[in-house]
Amino acid sequence: MKMMKRTLVLIMAAALLLLSGCGGSAKKDDTLNIYTWADYFPADICEEFTEQTGIAINYNTFESNEEMLMKLQAGGEYDIVLASDYIIDIARQEGLIKKLDKEKIPNFGNIDPQFQSKFYDPENEYTVPYAAGIPLIIYNPDMVGDVQIKGYEDLWNPAFADSVVVMDDARNVIGITLKTMGKSFNETDPAVLEEAKAKLLTLKTNIRALDYSTPYNLMIGGETAVGYMFTSQVITVLNEKPDFKVVYPEEGLGFGIDNIFVPEKAPHADNAFQFLNFILDGKRSAHITDQIFYISCNKAAAEHLQNQALTIPDGAADSAEFIQDVGDAAQIYNDIWTEFKQS
């Protein structure tokens, strides 16, 4: 009986160790919760990560940076978030981002320094630059004819009635309206923003569609003559229609870097760091760039790239402007955009 009791005690002790997670054979948490735009991490990259690590990926998507921030503020449990620079600056200031454990990300050194030390992460403690882009104008020369397009102002040309597609993005489209007025993408003066609203409303007759995700379909399909869209979308059009023309707007370019971060309350932070190191491998990073068509932020990717990146003319990006947090004026931008879309 004593031997049986001793054996029972040992079995119960072992069971308790396993249940408490302190035993050597305890199973690790094999989940990674990703939150970003649809298809921004290529499916085959996610599948390869799962195959190599056994970590299953839950891929969650949002439609806008603002939606992402609201979910994060509400306590959304994500391990990897990929979003835009200006919204990351807000999240960092609100204490929603975890500092990176770079010892667990040895490939962090592959990041090109020209994409680091920006306003949203001056000491490179929180973010991994993923993709850079410059929104541009692209047009179909056959549909435009002799009309000259040199900048944002030309989107208002009456010749383009019902034939323009622009991204469904308040900050970008109100921003280019401000640029036609000689102002900043980040204007905060309510009086100036009221003027911008009045001008933006006059653009509505030229707008065929507002499309954040797939504006290139309208250009490729011949439904629109002119588009204002992100770099990757411009390249998508050019891959199908190499005779289309790209315009670097004379009023000045916008510039953005999408970054990855690990939320402060990430339930599987170690898995997140493992994923970051995985995608920062030079060859793997090049494979990602070849699929998403954005400018790579990984210097180790250059020798492996297959697709020709969109070449930015020398000096064109020297005065490019980041979209940044505009504080309380953000509500004015949102109100203007709502009125524009409902008009």
Side-chain angles (χ1 to χ4, degrees), residues 197-321:
K197 180 180 79 170
K199 180 166 186 177
L200 178 61
L201 290 173
T202 66
L203 180 64
K204 194 61 181 288
T205 56
N206 282 11
I207 299 297
R208 179 67 176 271
L210 299 170
D211 189 335
Y212 192 94
S213 300
T214 58
Y216 46 80
N217 285 335
L218 294 172
M219 292 296 298
I220 294 170
E223 294 183 53
T224 52
V226 186
Y228 172 66
M229 59 191 71
F230 296 112
T231 307
S232 65
Q233 297 163 344
V234 170
I235 296 176
T236 299
V237 175
L238 291 176
N239 282 343
E240 294 290 328
K241 302 289 185 178
D243 57 326
F244 280 22
K245 304 300 181 183
V246 175
V247 176
Y248 298 85
E250 60 186 3
E251 298 93 342
L253 300 176
F255 181 68
I257 303 175
D258 290 339
N259 292 259
I260 308 168
F261 66 85
V262 178
E264 178 60 36
K265 297 182 179 179
H268 317 106
D270 284 344
N271 292 350
F273 296 139
Q274 189 172 350
F275 181 77
L276 290 174
N277 193 61
F278 178 81
I279 64 172
L280 283 172
D281 168 78
K283 190 172 182 179
R284 202 168 282 122
S285 179
H287 181 68
I288 292 172
T289 299
D290 285 335
Q291 294 188 69
I292 67 173
F293 297 156
Y294 275 102
I295 300 167
S296 176
C297 298
N298 190 325
K299 62 185 179 182
E303 62 181 294
H304 303 290
L305 289 171
Q306 299 296 318
N307 287 335
Q308 290 294 318
L310 184 65
T311 302
I312 307 300
D314 290 342
D318 289 351
S319 60
E321 184 180 15

Side-chain angles (χ1 to χ4, degrees), residues 73-227:
Q73 292 168 331
E77 294 191 344
Y78 307 109
D79 304 305
I80 287 285
V81 176
L82 171 53
S84 298
D85 37 46
Y86 74 95
I87 210 80
I88 291 174
D89 191 38
I90 300 173
R92 178 181 60 83
Q93 293 181 45
E94 293 185 5
L96 297 173
I97 304 180
K98 182 186 294 291
K99 283 190 176 182
L100 299 172
D101 187 342
K102 295 179 184 176
E103 290 187 359
K104 297 178 180 177
I105 316 173
N107 284 331
F108 189 86
N110 288 342
I111 298 171
D112 190 328
Q114 71 173 315
F115 298 108
Q116 292 183 300
S117 305
K118 303 303 182 184
F119 69 93
Y120 51 86
D121 188 9
E123 301 300 324
N124 305 311
E125 297 176 300
Y126 299 93
T127 60
V128 170
Y130 182 73
I134 298 175
L136 298 167
I137 295 171
I138 186 167
Y139 68 89
N140 181 341
D142 292 336
M143 294 179 70
V144 167
D146 295 331
V147 179
Q148 296 292 311
I149 301 178
K150 296 182 179 180
Y152 306 121
E153 183 67 42
D154 295 307
L155 299 178
W156 273 259
N157 191 317
F160 300 140
D162 194 35
S163 62
V164 176
V165 57
V166 299
M167 61 186 74
D168 186 350
D169 186 276
R171 292 298 308 277
N172 265 290
V173 180
I174 297 171
I176 66 173
T177 306
L178 288 162
K179 296 299 279 188
T180 67
M181 300 162 54
K183 304 297 183 180
S184 165
F185 275 103
N186 303 301
E187 181 62 58
T188 58
D189 185 332
V192 174
L193 290 172
E194 186 66 24
E195 292 179 34
K197 180 180 79 170
K199 180 166 186 177
L200 178 61
L201 290 173
T202 66
L203 180 64
K204 194 61 181 288
T205 56
N206 282 11
I207 299 297
R208 179 67 176 271
L210 299 170
D211 189 335
Y212 192 94
S213 300
T214 58
Y216 46 80
N217 285 335
L218 294 172
M219 292 296 298
I220 294 170
E223 294 183 53
T224 52
V226 186

